[in-house]
Amino acid sequence: MAELKTKVNDNDVSMFIENSVEKKEKKTDTYELLDLFRKITGYEPKILGSSIIGFGSYFYQSERSSQKGNWPLVGFSPRKSAISLYVYVDTKKNNELLSDLGEFTMGKSCIYVKKLTQINLKVLSQMIKETMSFLQEKYK
């Protein structure tokens, strides 16, 4: 069975941010997200692979392939072009919340935002909670 390639490692989150996030505004946004996710989830952040900051964990096994492994309940990645938010699962509540989130684009498994000032952080907080609830229920 194929395992996920992106795994939790022992890299220090603050060091990752300081060494990887170049623009001052994006660094500020990254620390704000770090505080927000930590507060909402109650989990300490962990680095997955080389660039994802994840919170919590569940065991994932694909229904379509043999891929399996641990994956964060929610997370984000401060990439050069945009911040990737891993906070979305296709639930009725999350789909309703999207209309009030602000300026974003959707990827295959995440939401992309340019800067935090373009989104509603209260809505993001609700999406984090909804995603965690859904995944914890589905993957007990």
Side-chain angles (χ1 to χ4, degrees):
M1 296 235 172
E3 289 190 36
L4 294 172
K5 293 178 183 175
T6 306
K7 294 183 180 184
V8 172
N9 59 58
D10 292 330
N11 293 348
D12 181 82
V13 174
S14 294
M15 290 295 292
F16 160 72
I17 295 168
E18 290 302 316
N19 294 329
S20 302
V21 182
E22 295 174 7
K23 293 184 178 178
K24 184 179 178 182
E25 183 179 22
K26 187 164 283 181
K27 194 174 283 194
T28 299
D29 285 354
T30 300
Y31 280 114
E32 188 173 345
L33 283 172
L34 191 66
D35 290 341
L36 179 72
F37 275 74
R38 190 183 270 138
K39 178 182 169 188
I40 291 169
T41 67
Y43 293 107
E44 286 301 310
K46 303 282 186 189
I47 299 289
L48 284 90
S50 62
S51 64
I52 297 174
I53 301 172
F55 297 81
S57 178
Y58 70 96
F59 183 77
Y60 172 87
Q61 188 160 359
S62 175
E63 295 168 1
R64 289 179 254 147
S65 72
S66 61
Q67 194 171 42
K68 64 180 181 175
N70 289 311
W71 193 251
L73 291 168
V74 292
F76 66 94
S77 181
R79 303 190 191 277
K80 280 192 179 197
S81 61
I83 298 170
S84 301
L85 300 171
Y86 302 97
V87 298
Y88 177 78
V89 290
D90 188 15
T91 66
K92 182 179 179 188
K93 184 174 181 179
N94 268 348
N95 285 323
E96 291 169 358
L97 289 168
L98 280 176
S99 63
D100 295 323
L101 182 60
E103 292 181 45
F104 68 92
T105 56
M106 291 289 292
K108 191 172 185 178
S109 63
C110 62
I111 295 170
Y112 300 108
V113 299
K114 295 287 184 187
K115 13 182 165 169
L116 290 189
T117 56
Q118 296 177 325
I119 63 169
N120 184 327
L121 294 180
K122 288 182 182 178
V123 172
L124 176 60
S125 298
Q126 292 175 302
M127 293 182 79
I128 293 168
K129 291 174 188 174
E130 171 67 8
T131 297
M132 287 180 60
S133 290
F134 175 85
L135 293 173
Q136 287 170 329
E137 178 65 27
K138 181 175 180 175
Y139 295 101
K140 297 176 185 174

